[in-house]
Amino acid sequence: VQLQASGGGLVQPGGSLRLSCAVSGISLDITDMAWYYQAPGKQRELVASSTYGGDTNYADAIKGRFTITRDRAKGMVYLQMDSLKPDDTGVYYCNSYLIRSGAEIWNYWGQGTQVTVSS
């Protein structure tokens, strides 16, 4: 399984970015997906998740500003980031996972993509 994240960059506060995650080696029909971010000097945190059944979940700090979607045919997962704030600055990671009955079935990570929100 390979996850290739892209789309990061430098953006001004209030701006938008769309992160992409190219997923290969596993079908988006069977895996849950998530985006995490890691701010400088801090632990990695969950930003948004999407189950293969279509349910989504968002961290409180980004609700209403970020949207996670998937294109099953293309094997792509996206994170649309709007109204960006300096606190959103960090490295964003794509994650493929499946947990059933409390047990981790799989957990794959891609490399990160840097997002910097600054004027």
Side-chain angles (χ1 to χ4, degrees):
V1 176
Q2 290 190 329
L3 309 176
Q4 184 74 32
S6 62
L10 173 65
V11 63
Q12 292 187 341
S16 297
L17 280 176
R18 189 177 80 156
L19 305 184
S20 299
C21 177
V23 181
S24 60
I26 194 167
S27 170
L28 289 180
D29 289 334
I30 65 168
T31 184
D32 296 340
M33 297 294 301
W35 286 96
Y36 283 75
Y37 99 114
Q38 188 165 20
K42 295 188 178 181
Q43 291 189 330
R44 198 172 294 187
E45 298 179 9
L46 177 67
V47 174
S49 64
S50 164
T51 70
Y52 64 83
D55 294 328
T56 57
N57 186 51
Y58 297 93
D60 288 342
I62 58 87
K63 277 182 182 176
R65 299 190 295 120
F66 293 7
T67 305
I68 184 172
T69 57
R70 65 174 72 191
D71 185 326
R72 298 170 190 265
K74 293 183 178 179
M76 297 293 294
V77 179
Y78 304 102
L79 184 69
Q80 178 66 40
M81 310 165 69
D82 298 318
S83 302
L84 282 160
K85 303 176 181 179
D87 284 349
D88 298 323
T89 294
V91 179
Y92 284 72
Y93 297 90
C94 181
N95 172 238
S96 165
Y97 69 98
L98 192 67
I99 299 173
R100 288 296 177 266
S101 300
E104 180 182 287
I105 308 302
W106 63 74
N107 192 15
Y108 302 110
W109 293 90
Q111 93 296 353
T113 184
Q114 175 71 44
V115 171
T116 302
V117 184
S118 175
S119 55

